[in-house]
Amino acid sequence: MSMLIVGTVATDDIITPFASVEGVLGGSAVYAATAGSLYVPVRIVGVIGMDFPESYMAYLRQKQFDLQGLEIQEGKTFRWAGKYHFDMNTRDTLATELNVLANFNPNLPDPYRATPFVFLANVDPTIQLKTLDQMKKPSLTVLDTMNYWIETQRDALTAVVRRADLIMINDEELRQFTGEHSLLKAARHMLALGPRALIVKKGEHGAALVTNDGYYFAPGYPLEDVVDPTGAGDSFAGGFLGYIAKQRKITARELHRALIHGSVIASFTVEDFSVDRLKSVALHDVQQRYQEFASFTHFERLD
Ligand code: AMP
């Protein structure tokens, strides 16, 4: 099984209270693909400009992502700049420069169209819709988004929500999209639009899976030092869907396991800037942290 990821391939400028970097490799598709490729082959749909550094291109090739759907266009690559607050859970966007993304019209290579698992990673919802329009009945479509698109493209975003099976969204964006303060009520509001499940990401505090008949919570893996939270959500999602794509059946048990895989992968991502830590993680590292995690979180029922 393989997975298709449409999202941003970017350069990021990041400021944290402790360090800053400029022009590092980022983008929702890059983080999600790095995570997802631990489990299954990954196909990328996206766009870069002529300024995209050759060393970043070499990284994408070395990871063996299928890049037939990655277009190179005249102009500059999507660029994002963000600044984290002291708690590292909240951040301000300092710049979002769409550049070549502004006129991107995805045209999927033929072999991409029957990919069974689709991750509509954080990108313009009209690009997510155009991608979905070219797909032949995927088994599972997962959608992620961000405050920027809730503010600028609400109608298109609502249209994609209606077509997705599972939504990934952080707590703040869920409240912003639905106008509900209670996360559980907000989740119900979102499910009423059509998706079968919702994953609410709560930064270092973990993530919750909500369906019409259940609720499951995974804490965040405890870390002494967080260097840069950027990409935690995207790599969580890529790892989650990669794990699911590798299973024979999608059961509640596998969804719960996938949530822990996502959480563990995000914990590696935040240990360094860009994909600097994540890129050298192997599946056995994830499995090892997964087992450790079980011992932190397991508790017995009352007798
Ligand atoms: P995350 O920390 O998981 O929310 O993802 C951050 C990544 O998303 C960064 O590498 C950015 O390049 C990328 N990004 C930031 N803003 C946007 C946006 N509006 N649309 C798509 N990708 C974005």
Side-chain angles (χ1 to χ4, degrees), residues 136-197:
K136 289 180 197 146
K137 281 202 185 290
S139 314
L140 190 74
T141 302
V142 175
L143 164 70
D144 190 8
T145 193
M146 197 165 148
N147 50 0
Y148 183 86
W149 304 114
I150 299 174
E151 283 152 26
T152 60
Q153 296 267 13
R154 180 178 278 273
D155 290 349
L157 183 58
T158 308
V160 210
V161 168
R162 291 185 189 283
R163 291 175 60 181
D165 299 305
L166 191 150
I167 312 290
M168 301 255 178
I169 193 161
N170 78 26
D171 43 1
E172 199 183 332
E173 289 150 3
L174 180 61
R175 289 191 170 108
Q176 185 186 9
F177 185 78
T178 62
E180 293 276 7
H181 175 76
S182 150
L183 287 180
L184 219 50
K185 276 192 190 157
R188 301 267 171 253
H189 181 131
M190 205 74 162
L191 290 174
L193 293 174
R196 285 181 281 155

Side-chain angles (χ1 to χ4, degrees), residues 12 24 26 41 57 93 104 117 120 127 131 173 200 214 234 247 260 270 272 294-295:
D12 291 342
V24 296
M57 206 54 213
T93 288
F104 178 50
F117 294 88
L120 306 171
I127 295 175
T131 302
E173 289 150 3
V200 188
D234 309 314
Q247 309 312 311
I260 307 292
V270 305
D272 208 341
S295 65

